[in-house]
Amino acid sequence: GRAGGITKQEEWFPMKIDLRARPFYLGDEAAAWVEHTRDAMTVEDKVGQLFCVLFKQAVPSELEYVLGILKPGGCMYRVVSAERAVSFTQALQGALNIPPLIAANLEKGGNGIVEEGTLLGSPMEVAATDSVDMAVKLAEVCGKEGRAVGANWAFAPIIDIDANFRSPITNTRTFGNDPVRVREMGAAYTRKIQELGLAASIKHFPGDGQDERDQHLVTTINSMDCEAWMETYGAAYRACIEADALTCMVGHIMQPAWSRRLDSRLADRDILPASLSKELMGGLLRGELGFNGLIVTDATTMAGYTIPMSRRLAVPASIAAGADMFLFARNLEEDYGFMLEGVRSGVITPERLNEAVTRILAVKAALGLHLGKPGPDLEQAKRVVGCEQHLQWSRDCADQAITLVKEEAGVLPITPERYPRILFYPIEPPAGGEGNYKVTAACGMLKERLIKEGFQVDTFVPQPYGEGFTTKYEEIVGQYDLMLYAANLSTKSNQTVVRIEWKQPMGADCGHYLNDVPTVFVSLENPYHLLDFPRIRTYINCYSNNDRVLDALVEKLTGRSLFTGKSPVDPFCGKWDTRL
């Protein structure tokens, strides 16, 4: 059914915005500020408000460059030092007459905005505790640490459902594959972070996790039928909307079933991702789900956005189709020009432009930004960011989340008395990357902890030769008491798979000795490695690779702590042999 939603295309835009209703709840004074501020703007000022720009390093030269082109309505910080974030926030607030929305990927903790921030745990680690209270604590860490350095907008919670274990981008960034858990944890995060004065941004509408491709690289598809979608993703969005989520991030993800239902004339080639689709933003998100808050696109630098149509057309098309803010730019001067041209040519009508600007200002007023609150204070920020209470919650999360998926009877616990000599197999890429996608080299840190426990630990090194000349099987079997694998393959953008690539020659580090030597496999990140090592009989998932997780893992391996985590996904990947 249509549940009282807007169903006629011609009624999708422009829309009458009720500033006193959910999610804004503005009083007379705040509503008057929104309307007065909007009406006093030039067209150029209004178009500037549509842009949420990226400040990658938060340095003065970036601000100077942006202000030479436009006055942005919002911005996003990548991860910098707390000192730099505070000083940049102060400079930004001083430079703009309309207070900006300041966002960050506050998905795992305060580490999403500052280097000193607390990584409480990945959403999947939080989900493995099976405690909604832990999702609330995640929001509290994100909200308090983000707010301390100037953020007022969380690009979170992620309410994608990790239904496809092959997805290289959802994975540990989600609360798992159970739609009910995703819905409950997403709504709990939304309520808490907004209670702390930050706008939530529920993402990535219409829902990632069905496709095995990444919208950073290709326009992806949520392939569910309308009814199944509404019972899963739709239910999660509805719950977060009812929790008063102020904003929603639309992805470069198609939802063909809903697009066709809302416009039966669409040919396959005309189906667009949500970030360009009036059917999905207007008909589904606004109409069916009744969302009255701000719609922001996902990063428009992604290939999933740039591939469907020419950028000259796409930039204004997103706003014309119902987005209120445009995230990032390939070239800011050029994209601003494309947007202005879209206004002047009538692609973006004056009514649609005013509607978008009204919602942007309404979010700012709902957060109280129009009241001219003082900016962040560095000394106060230092007391909040990385504080002991947040670190303790991170320890609790690790302790409650680590999951013993499979156990061969009698192998655990691992102690130096039982297994003095360990052959260690680390599986991880070179360290690098940035922000939330930074690869932390954790296998070496696990090895150090094992040595400290009193084990003799040798790292496996593949031999340069193969068939006929390999070291004798019996020599290896006689030399080691335990084989321990540690995989640290993280979810990050611009990769097509999160799979083990075994070493040459001929899978030299595969489980060649598991029938003769006790063997344990630990995944620090991706929970689906049983796909590539199905016969391993003792397998553990950790979902994060920070110090607290490594400490808790050693406690559990050695028997000093019990495994209590519950798998929030199917670690067996739907295969029968992974259960052997």
Side-chain angles (χ1 to χ4, degrees):
R2 296 296 169 94
I6 297 164
T7 56
K8 294 180 183 175
Q9 267 193 70
E10 59 269 23
E11 293 180 18
W12 292 344
F13 303 110
M15 299 180 73
K16 176 69 176 167
I17 304 169
D18 186 349
L19 296 177
R20 288 159 179 78
R22 169 180 290 155
F24 305 121
Y25 302 113
L26 300 188
D28 291 347
E29 188 181 340
W33 176 84
V34 168
E35 290 164 2
H36 172 77
T37 304
R38 178 199 63 213
D39 294 345
M41 284 185 194
T42 64
V43 168
E44 289 76 14
D45 287 339
K46 289 177 181 177
V47 172
Q49 285 293 303
L50 303 178
F51 282 83
C52 182
V53 300
L54 176 64
F55 289 119
K56 199 169 184 177
Q57 296 171 306
V59 292
S61 59
E62 287 181 312
L63 184 56
E64 187 180 339
Y65 169 75
V66 168
L67 293 179
I69 298 167
L70 54 77
K71 294 175 182 172
C75 65
M76 180 189 179
Y77 293 175
R78 292 292 191 207
V79 181
V80 296
S81 70
E83 184 174 358
R84 187 178 291 184
V86 167
S87 65
F88 193 82
T89 299
Q90 292 166 344
L92 187 63
Q93 290 172 335
L96 296 172
N97 57 341
I98 297 173
L101 292 170
I102 300 174
N105 275 338
L106 297 170
E107 299 173 3
K108 301 178 180 179
N111 69 311
I113 189 166
V114 287
E115 293 155 356
E116 304 93 327
T118 307
L119 194 174
L120 180 111
S122 71
M124 192 172 285
E125 183 188 341
V126 169
T129 69
D130 202 29
S131 166
V132 173
D133 184 55
M134 194 60 74
V136 174
K137 287 174 176 168
L138 173 63
E140 187 160 342
V141 172
C142 291
K144 287 185 174 176
E145 297 194 3
R147 187 181 64 189
V149 297
N152 51 42
W153 194 7
F155 282 168
I158 294 173
I159 52 172
D160 297 322
I161 299 169
D162 201 45
N164 188 339
F165 70 85
R166 297 185 190 277
S167 170
I169 191 63
T170 50
N171 206 284
T172 55
R173 294 178 71 206
T174 73
F175 290 118
N177 70 356
D178 175 6
V180 174
R181 188 187 287 110
V182 170
R183 184 183 77 217
E184 290 177 350
M185 290 191 166
Y189 180 106
T190 298
R191 278 189 290 269
K192 187 63 181 181
I193 199 122
Q194 294 199 166
E195 181 187 305
L196 293 169
L198 284 78
S201 191
I202 48 180
K203 66 182 187 182
H204 305 84
F205 184 86
D208 210 342
Q210 294 292 313
D211 208 325
E212 65 183 72
R213 298 166 296 181
D214 174 7
Q215 58 166 324
H216 291 81
L217 307 174
V218 63
T219 312
T220 59
I221 300 173
N222 183 309
S223 55
M224 301 181 90
D225 65 42
C226 295
E227 286 68 32
W229 184 90
M230 193 56 86
E231 290 168 6
T232 54
Y233 290 90
Y237 277 92
R238 196 182 293 281
C240 290
I241 289 166
E242 289 173 357
D244 294 325
L246 279 162
T247 80
C248 176
M249 181 179 286
V250 296
H252 316 310
I253 303 167
M254 297 178 278
Q255 218 301 327
W258 269 110
S259 289
R260 290 191 184 102
R261 175 176 286 191
L262 291 161
D263 187 352
S264 58
R265 301 165 298 181
L266 285 176
D268 286 356
R269 66 178 175 274
D270 297 324
I271 293 172
L272 290 168
S275 50
L276 288 161
S277 168
K278 63 182 182 296
E279 294 80 30
L280 297 181
M281 286 191 280
L284 183 53
L285 184 55
R286 295 272 188 232
E288 300 290 333
L289 296 176
F291 181 62
N292 184 43
L294 180 151
I295 296 175
V296 59
T297 70
D298 205 342
T300 61
T301 47
M302 294 184 191
Y305 181 81
T306 61
I307 287 170
M309 69 171 73
S310 164
R311 191 163 189 89
R312 179 184 295 278
L313 300 176
V315 172
S318 284
I319 304 301
D324 303 306
M325 286 194 94
F326 187 83
L327 185 58
F328 304 164
R330 279 178 69 84
N331 180 285
L332 186 61
E333 187 175 18
E334 183 178 53
D335 282 355
Y336 180 59
F338 290 157
M339 196 72 82
L340 275 174
E341 177 56 32
V343 170
R344 289 169 183 150
S345 68
V347 170
I348 301 171
T349 64
E351 294 82 7
R352 176 79 270 272
L353 179 60
N354 278 340
E355 179 188 295
V357 172
T358 301
R359 281 206 174 86
I360 294 164
L361 295 173
V363 170
K364 295 178 181 186
L367 296 173
L369 303 188
H370 66 301
L371 301 174
K373 295 177 181 175
D377 173 76
L378 182 58
E379 291 310 309
Q380 171 64 16
K382 285 179 177 177
R383 287 192 287 273
V384 175
V385 172
C387 68
E388 178 52 37
Q389 173 70 83
H390 295 173
L391 289 170
Q392 184 56 50
W393 287 347
S394 181
R395 292 184 201 105
D396 294 343
C397 188
D399 177 58
Q400 295 169 33
I402 296 173
T403 308
L404 180 58
V405 176
K406 290 171 75 174
E407 180 182 13
E408 181 178 9
V411 169
L412 297 176
I414 296 169
T415 64
E417 293 72 34
R418 299 186 72 203
Y419 307 112
R421 301 165 302 173
I422 295 176
L423 184 56
F424 185 63
Y425 293 83
I427 302 168
E428 69 182 352
E434 61 179 32
N436 278 35
Y437 302 121
K438 192 171 184 179
V439 176
T440 304
C443 291
M445 294 190 288
L446 176 57
K447 180 181 176 180
E448 288 171 11
R449 283 167 169 77
L450 293 169
I451 291 170
K452 196 173 177 182
E453 287 287 328
F455 297 99
Q456 176 195 315
V457 186
D458 294 338
T459 299
F460 174 80
V461 179
Q463 298 166 342
Y465 40 84
E467 291 90 335
F469 299 94
T470 304
T471 301
K472 287 182 178 179
Y473 187 82
E474 296 288 356
E475 282 185 28
I476 301 295
V477 168
Q479 192 175 348
Y480 294 103
D481 308 297
L482 181 81
M483 306 293 176
L484 180 63
Y485 287 79
N488 182 37
L489 301 183
S490 303
T491 302
K492 61 182 190 291
S493 63
N494 287 24
Q495 64 184 354
T496 53
V497 289
V498 192
R499 296 277 298 276
I500 297 171
E501 190 169 321
W502 299 108
K503 296 188 186 306
Q504 296 287 2
M506 297 291 287
D509 53 342
C510 285
H512 297 294
Y513 308 105
L514 64 79
N515 291 302
D516 296 278
V517 181
T519 305
V520 174
F521 191 108
V522 174
S523 174
L524 299 175
E525 285 274 339
N526 173 40
Y528 299 119
H529 289 314
L530 282 174
L531 182 71
D532 290 315
F533 201 165
R535 296 282 181 144
I536 185 72
R537 294 189 282 269
T538 302
Y539 179 88
I540 296 161
N541 274 329
C542 297
Y543 318 102
S544 292
N545 61 15
N546 61 61
D547 284 335
R548 276 82 63 200
V549 166
L550 295 174
D551 290 342
L553 173 64
V554 170
E555 290 292 303
K556 292 176 190 303
L557 286 172
T558 55
R560 297 192 293 265
S561 171
L562 297 175
F563 289 93
T564 59
K566 298 178 182 178
S567 287
V569 293
D570 172 20
F572 301 103
C573 307
K575 310 287 186 186
W576 64 269
D577 60 332
T578 54
R579 295 179 179 274
L580 295 175

